[in-house]
Amino acid sequence: MAALTLDELRSHFSVRPGYLSACMVGAPPRETVEALTGDLGAWGEGHRDPARYGAAVERARGAFARLNSVETDRVAVGSQVSVFASVVAGSLPEGSEVLLVEGDFSSMVFPFLVQQQLGRLTVRCVPLERLAEAVTPSTTLVSFSLVQSATGRLADAEAVVEAAQRHGAATFVDTTQAVGWMPVDASRFDATVCHAYKWLCAPRGTTFFTVSEEFAERLHPFTANWYSGDDVWGSCYGPEMRLASSARRFDVSPAWQAWYGTAPAVELFASADIAAVQRHCVGLANALRRHLGEPESESAIVTWPDPDGSVIAALAAADIAGSSRAGRARVAFHLWNDEADIDRVCGALGLA
């Protein structure tokens, strides 16, 4: 089947003008709203079938695998980025060195710092632009966000992967601020993690973890539970434990309703021309950067200095949804945005 065009994908959304905050919370497609509304009504009547939720989880898992160019058996599901980061951090051998990015999102930092406090790991933090050159033969793992949350800056993933492979280090990548607006090939990395409630426009509480077969053998399933069993419904009671041989052994018991709304959202993006979405989003972002006097970039996220919060206050007064991070105003352009949103921002800030 031909991929959905940008216009076809946009037809599934009814997002208000001025919503420029997909990097904080995505807006759901109508299919997700309908799924959650219908499920809430059925729940209220006592018609709740766990098997139906399990089917939604598998639909979402398969769609995410297609979207990220990996096999379905390489995808685990959970609820939060930090849970999977903690599995990776806790599985590293004692004495490992982990290379992190200064200012990266804390869910990709704190799990490793906890292990450092326990005396198990050594953590080094470097600026994003120095990440690839900072990899050395002593580096065990490079952990970073593909797109930085605070600034929208893109990591030079090719350079980092090349450096990691040259020095025998593994790569663990947070793709939360990337998947949905830019093509991502998760098979390039040893492991990735992605929360779906931002650019994939799903309910909060659904996260995907991709892991290569080789790297999975180096991880301990610290979160083992009934849902990570080889036979899910046959794993409800101990003490016998048979975990799945695939990445499912890292599954975390799903928040049912959230997954019922996630499946249709991720399926839409897996059926779409994401390269067209990227061109649209980056084009709008760069148009705003020109008005702001900021250098152009390949990111759909635009940030600029706002130390006193006056910029974000002006946007809010004009009913423009943005956010403030690390002393900077932040807006994001997704598939539903258009040139009129640029005019709204410029009008709110008094820009020509």
Side-chain angles (χ1 to χ4, degrees):
M1 294 177 60
L4 293 177
T5 66
L6 177 63
D7 286 340
E8 289 171 335
L9 184 60
R10 293 181 70 175
S11 71
H12 292 265
F13 292 81
S14 303
V15 184
R16 70 173 176 86
Y19 190 75
L20 292 164
S21 206
C23 60
M24 185 169 69
V25 181
R30 285 191 295 277
E31 290 83 351
T32 289
V33 176
E34 292 166 0
L36 291 175
T37 302
D39 181 69
L40 186 60
W43 179 27
E45 296 173 354
H47 297 294
R48 188 168 234 196
D49 178 9
R52 184 177 61 167
Y53 296 110
V57 171
E58 296 314 313
R59 284 171 51 200
R61 192 196 309 268
F64 189 83
R66 295 193 300 275
L67 181 59
N68 288 264
S69 302
V70 295
E71 297 297 322
T72 303
D73 66 358
R74 294 294 93 214
V75 180
V77 299
S79 57
Q80 305 296 338
V81 167
S82 57
V83 173
F84 289 115
S86 295
V87 169
V88 173
S91 297
L92 293 175
E94 289 198 18
S96 295
E97 178 190 272
V98 180
L99 188 60
L100 305 178
V101 173
E102 291 180 355
D104 209 343
F105 194 72
S106 58
S107 293
M108 289 291 285
V109 175
F110 288 1
F112 298 101
L113 294 182
V114 167
Q115 293 297 322
Q116 179 171 249
Q117 289 179 347
L118 294 173
R120 295 190 64 256
L121 307 178
T122 298
V123 172
R124 282 198 297 131
C125 294
V126 299
L128 181 66
E129 64 272 14
R130 291 186 47 222
L131 188 60
E133 68 183 65
V135 182
T136 70
S138 64
T139 305
T140 306
L141 179 78
V142 186
S143 176
F144 64 99
S145 296
L146 190 56
V147 178
Q148 291 291 301
S149 172
T151 63
R153 293 178 62 195
L154 276 65
D156 187 349
E158 292 295 341
V160 174
V161 169
E162 190 279 328
Q165 291 177 342
R166 178 160 32 91
H167 293 295
T171 51
F172 175 45
V173 183
D174 181 0
T175 63
T176 299
Q177 294 287 5
V179 177
W181 73 263
M182 63 179 284
V184 174
D185 182 355
S187 69
R188 298 160 58 201
F189 312 110
D190 293 285
T192 73
V193 64
C194 177
H195 204 307
Y197 80 105
K198 296 182 183 287
W199 298 89
L200 286 174
C201 304
R204 180 168 168 81
T206 58
T207 301
F208 298 92
F209 177 63
T210 74
V211 60
S212 70
E213 189 170 359
E214 187 276 331
F215 194 63
E217 294 301 319
R218 299 161 60 182
L219 302 180
H220 303 297
F222 292 120
T223 59
N225 64 96
W226 70 283
Y227 211 79
S228 53
D230 184 51
D231 174 9
V232 171
W233 291 104
S235 301
C236 293
Y237 306 101
E240 185 177 1
M241 181 177 73
R242 289 195 301 272
L243 300 182
S245 58
S246 68
R248 277 209 315 105
R249 66 182 177 274
F250 304 110
D251 278 5
V252 178
S253 180
W256 282 341
Q257 287 177 307
W259 284 99
Y260 206 62
T262 294
V266 179
E267 286 174 334
L268 270 178
F269 284 96
S271 301
D273 182 352
I274 299 299
V277 176
Q278 181 182 36
R279 290 191 296 271
H280 172 78
C281 297
V282 174
L284 292 174
N286 279 331
L288 177 59
R289 289 186 182 98
R290 288 191 288 272
H291 284 285
L292 294 168
E294 294 287 320
E296 293 194 1
S297 161
E298 292 301 313
S299 179
I301 301 173
V302 182
T303 70
W304 65 102
D306 184 27
D308 62 358
S310 59
V311 171
I312 204 68
L315 295 180
D319 199 27
I320 297 169
S323 52
S324 181
R325 292 292 185 273
R328 300 177 69 84
R330 184 181 69 163
V331 297
F333 291 92
H334 208 349
L335 59 94
W336 52 73
N337 297 116
D338 55 26
E339 289 80 3
D341 288 314
I342 298 174
D343 295 337
R344 291 183 180 90
V345 173
C346 292
L349 301 182
L351 300 175

